[in-house]
Amino acid sequence: SWVFTFDPAGRLAVYSITEFLCNDLQWYSLAARAWVEKWADLGPTAGFVLRFSPDGARLALPSCEQLTAHDLAGRTLLQSRDLPDGSPVLLDYSPDGRWLVYGAG
């Protein structure tokens, strides 16, 4: 599968390349009109959705078994939670960015 989204400021597009047991993210800068970064091998096959927090500081990325939130400034994993119901098909942050909700199963 291929999934993409734009950051809230409209500066970056994130493109998820999902193949069996592999998940890579590629970052595209709209200003530079070029691919600027790649996060490789982020774990088992991800779902069909990924989301930026409203402030653009975090990115939520699901896998078959976990939902992870990454800090974009430090390029670090903030949290990881097990997903008992399978891969999310719905994923979004609350408008204030305090909550991340998903629907699965």
Side-chain angles (χ1 to χ4, degrees):
S1 70
W2 301 289
V3 180
F4 73 92
T5 190
F6 293 96
D7 76 326
R11 294 183 303 252
L12 291 170
V14 180
Y15 176 70
S16 173
I17 302 167
T18 303
E19 297 177 6
F20 184 69
L21 297 178
C22 176
N23 185 31
D24 297 342
L25 290 183
Q26 292 187 342
W27 301 79
Y28 185 84
S29 168
L30 299 174
R33 296 184 184 200
W35 296 102
V36 293
E37 191 170 354
K38 181 177 181 179
W39 292 6
D41 300 324
L42 295 174
T45 305
F48 297 100
V49 62
L50 51 105
R51 288 288 184 264
F52 281 97
S53 61
D55 63 3
R58 297 175 309 282
L59 180 69
L61 178 68
S63 74
C64 291
E65 300 167 349
Q66 291 189 323
L67 178 60
T68 58
H70 300 265
D71 172 68
L72 298 179
R75 302 295 192 252
T76 57
L77 176 66
L78 292 172
Q79 283 191 336
S80 179
R81 296 282 187 240
D82 289 340
L83 294 175
D85 298 327
S87 296
V89 292
L90 303 169
L91 178 67
D92 210 353
Y93 278 93
S94 62
D96 64 3
R98 291 181 54 213
W99 297 94
L100 178 64
V101 296
Y102 77 94

